[in-house]
Amino acid sequence: MPERVSLVVLCEDSLHQSFIYAFLNRMKLPAIGRLRVLPCESKSKVFERFPIEVRALRRRHVRTQLVVVIDADELSDAQIRERLSQRLSDVGEDADFKKDPILIVRPRWEMENWALALLGNGIGEPRDQGARGKVGDRTRDAGRVLADHCKVGDLPEDTLPSLKTACTEWAQFRRTWRF
C-alpha cells in the first residue's frame, strides 16, 4: 500500500529545507500522512518540478497540500505566479492553481534575508552577497522564530514585507486544511 503523504514541499536547497522543516515542526501540524520534502537544487528545477507535483496533487485520493519555497530574487510575486501558471499550461494542466491547496513561500531576495531579519541581524530585502556566510547554520532557528510569530500574529512593526506576506498567506493556507 502506498504511503499517505499529506504535505509535499518543493524547495530550492538545503537552506530552504532546514527553514521549512523547522517552521512546519514548530507549527505542530496534524500527524495524518507524512511530510515529503523535495529539494530541487535550483529555482529553475523548482519551476520544472511544480507541474509534476500539481498534477499528482490533483489526482490523489488522499487530501494533500503543496508548499513551494522559492527565492524571489529579481522576480516579483506576480512574475513567480505567472511562471508557475505557465509551467502548468505547458504540460496541459489547468494553469489556475488558486483553487488548489498550494502555498507559495517567496523570500525576497533570498532565504538568507529572512533568516537574518528573524534572528535580529536584518539586512533588509535587497541582495547581500555575503548573507549565506552571515546566516551559517542558524536557518532552523529562523524558521522557528517565524512560526512563533505566525502562530500568534505578532510580527514586529519593522518586519520585512515579504515575511508579513508569508504569515498572512500561511494563515489562509492553513484554514483550507481538512484535517
Side-chain angles (χ1 to χ4, degrees):
M1 176 187 232
E3 193 169 7
R4 288 178 45 170
V5 176
S6 57
L7 185 62
V8 176
V9 178
L10 284 178
C11 58
E12 288 186 41
D13 55 28
S14 60
L15 193 71
H16 288 178
Q17 186 174 352
S18 295
F19 184 90
I20 203 69
Y21 261 134
F23 176 84
L24 295 170
N25 188 39
R26 184 63 67 107
M27 295 303 280
K28 299 194 185 306
L29 300 176
I32 295 176
R34 75 176 190 91
L35 170 68
R36 182 172 54 126
V37 178
L38 303 169
C40 295
E41 301 171 8
S42 71
K43 179 191 310 246
S44 63
K45 290 187 179 180
V46 171
F47 283 124
E48 287 173 27
R49 185 75 193 187
F50 181 74
I52 296 165
E53 294 304 319
V54 171
R55 180 178 281 160
L57 178 135
R58 289 174 176 172
R59 288 170 172 70
R60 279 194 177 102
H61 297 292
V62 176
R63 181 75 171 149
T64 303
Q65 315 289 21
L66 177 62
V67 175
V68 178
V69 185
I70 188 166
D71 288 335
D73 295 335
E74 72 285 350
L75 301 175
S76 70
D77 293 347
Q79 289 171 318
I80 289 172
R81 288 185 177 282
E82 178 57 36
R83 285 193 183 178
L84 292 170
S85 291
Q86 184 60 51
R87 294 294 299 153
L88 287 171
S89 184
D90 291 347
V91 298
E93 286 288 326
D94 179 1
D96 182 11
F97 60 90
K98 292 177 191 163
K99 62 185 179 287
D100 296 307
I102 300 172
L103 173 65
I104 312 297
V105 178
R106 309 163 305 277
R108 179 139 344 266
W109 172 273
E110 299 172 306
M111 181 61 73
E112 291 89 334
N113 294 57
W114 275 14
L116 290 170
L118 290 162
L119 297 171
N121 303 317
I123 59 173
E125 301 268 23
R127 184 173 199 178
D128 179 343
Q129 295 290 350
R132 188 168 289 251
K134 294 174 188 174
V135 172
D137 62 356
R138 300 178 303 155
T139 309
R140 283 191 174 110
D141 295 335
R144 290 181 196 109
V145 170
L146 180 59
D148 291 342
H149 285 300
C150 288
K151 275 195 231 181
V152 294
D154 76 339
L155 284 165
E157 188 92 10
D158 61 346
T159 297
L160 299 177
S162 59
L163 278 168
K164 288 179 183 177
T165 299
C167 273
T168 301
E169 290 180 0
W170 168 260
Q172 293 168 349
F173 176 71
R174 183 66 179 92
R175 284 191 291 273
T176 68
W177 289 27
R178 304 219 195 284
F179 41 82

